[in-house]
Amino acid sequence: MQEFLIHPEFTLTLIWKNNLIEKTLLQPADSGTTSCMKTSPRPSRALGNLYRHYLNREPLHPEIPLAWKNMPPFRARVLRTLFWLVPWGRIMTYSGLAAMAGNPGAARAVGTAMACNPWPVIIPCHRVIRADRGLGGFSCGTELKKKLLALEDIIL
DNA sequence: TCAGTGACTATAG
DNA sequence: ACTATAGCCACTG
């Protein structure tokens, strides 16, 4: 089952399987979209939560049902750490996140973990930047990363 | 087991 | 500020 969050800057698709969010798909808004947000009909609790996250910065609920099965251990630790430690409007470096996840030297592996993040936006990998304040990479395009950060009043 | 890979980083020109 | 480079680590085939 799929459902959508339509935002002026992006569309987020939640892909559900066995009552768990298997992954999210993120794509930049195509030109000429609406100026307000909307969701697909009968949104799940998680989607409602995401809607209000972008509407009025409501924190994401810690129990969003994500399908963690088969995630390699370090990547899971990194993603969980990111979810818990970096809320709306905050940023973290790859190396900082590596340290918080318990392995200070693993900045590069954190980058790989971000690249493999199955749940962009829910797990806020757009809030992870380089130690030199550079933007770093983004699977869905660095332009979108910049816009997501701008929504949170973060300018690099 | 091991070589290859990459959303990194510190350092040197 | 930019480029090159060597070191770094978890994960993969």
Side-chain angles (χ1 to χ4, degrees):
Chain A
M1 171 267 209
Q2 298 186 178
E3 55 181 352
F4 306 93
L5 174 65
I6 313 292
H7 182 280
E9 297 292 357
F10 63 86
T11 296
L12 186 71
T13 305
L14 270 53
I15 299 178
W16 290 81
K17 191 176 181 181
N18 302 325
N19 286 325
L20 295 174
I21 301 174
E22 187 174 52
K23 60 181 175 175
T24 63
L25 300 181
L26 176 62
Q27 50 191 299
D30 21 67
S31 56
T33 43
T34 51
S35 58
C36 62
M37 270 194 301
K38 59 183 180 184
T39 71
S40 48
R42 303 196 334 262
S44 66
R45 212 154 106 197
L47 189 62
N49 191 185
L50 281 164
Y51 177 85
R52 292 185 302 276
H53 186 61
Y54 276 94
L55 184 70
N56 57 19
R57 306 187 176 191
E58 173 180 309
L60 290 186
H61 198 278
E63 293 149 33
I64 291 179
L66 303 179
W68 291 97
K69 192 189 291 187
N70 294 335
M71 169 91 43
F74 178 74
R75 289 181 187 173
R77 223 164 59 237
V78 166
L79 293 182
R80 289 184 189 281
T81 303
L82 175 58
F83 182 84
W84 281 102
L85 265 48
V86 187
W88 181 283
R90 304 288 303 278
I91 55 177
M92 168 85 38
T93 63
Y94 294 96
S95 50
L97 181 53
M100 298 311 291
N103 197 338
R108 195 160 189 179
V110 164
T112 305
M114 297 300 99
C116 299
N117 175 17
W119 310 285
V121 175
I122 295 181
I123 305 287
C125 58
H126 60 283
R127 298 182 187 136
V128 183
I129 65 168
R130 296 178 52 105
D132 60 7
R133 301 282 301 182
L135 185 60
F138 199 59
S139 302
C140 312
T142 54
E143 283 309 307
L144 183 52
K145 183 174 185 176
K146 222 179 297 182
K147 285 180 177 174
L148 289 173
L149 289 173
L151 287 173
E152 306 184 16
D153 304 316
I154 296 165
I155 311 294
L156 305 180

